[in-house]
Amino acid sequence: MDYPRAAAAYFERDARHLARALIGARLVHQLDGEVRVVRIVETEAYRGPTDAASHARVGLTRRTRTLLGPPGRAYVFLVYGMHDCFNVVCKGEGEGHAVLVRAGEPIVGVLPGVRCDGPGRVAKALSITREHDGHDLMEGSLYVSPRPASERVKIGVSARVGVAYAGAMAEKPWRFFDRDSTHVSRPPASAIGLGTR
DNA sequence: CATATGATTCCA
DNA sequence: GGAATCATATGA
């Protein structure tokens, strides 16, 4: 089983489209003598400075320089003083689009009993930390492998989690998940749209 | 410089 | 329900 790496074009699109495409894709991290692979089952799209829930709303700072940089990079930040969150920067340089990976299913190398449901847990299970902030997904040991064309996924859609402060933007249907996965970070009870890919 | 708060998780 | 825990943003 190998995991072909996604190339530049894969990342050069709106965060909503990439967030949908990433459901069923693999997140691969090659550690020293060890490989860990997770099948992504939950994502959220953050759509740049005009998205009140996005970190890009504050403009260019030390924290957001990766987010506002070129697409195809990892944007990793600390939330609540304790958890690292892994995002994929996308669309175009300076546009501030990114997709947060919120949950996955362990496939290879993740220790039994280690869960990947929840953004902090995904990063922890794959040993992704803020040191990976800015990491080039098109070249390094950490990368994305697109969902195999043969693999069908039923995709659910809902509002994003934990962004109530963003006002009207918090209502946007920019969270995507695999309806058939038991590894989604919270029950998709608030699903407001469904589809198949 | 001081302070409020969050793209969360864990424990009681 | 509430704590843990700290980088960042914001305002004095």
Side-chain angles (χ1 to χ4, degrees), chain A residues 111-148:
Chain A
L111 284 325
V114 172
R115 291 161 57 187
C116 305
D117 48 335
R121 289 187 179 137
V122 170
K124 190 177 178 192
L126 290 172
S127 297
I128 297 171
T129 70
R130 274 165 296 157
E131 295 188 5
H132 294 92
D133 185 47
H135 176 99
D136 187 342
L137 298 173
M138 290 163 291
E139 295 193 352
S141 59
L142 175 65
Y143 65 94
V144 171
S145 186
R147 163 163 39 85

Side-chain angles (χ1 to χ4, degrees), chain A residues 5-29:
Chain A
R5 181 189 300 261
Y10 187 80
F11 303 104
E12 292 167 356
R13 47 180 157 168
D14 188 287
R16 286 174 300 183
H17 300 308
L18 180 63
R20 189 175 269 275
L22 280 173
I23 301 299
R26 273 62 162 164
L27 183 56
V28 183
H29 196 184

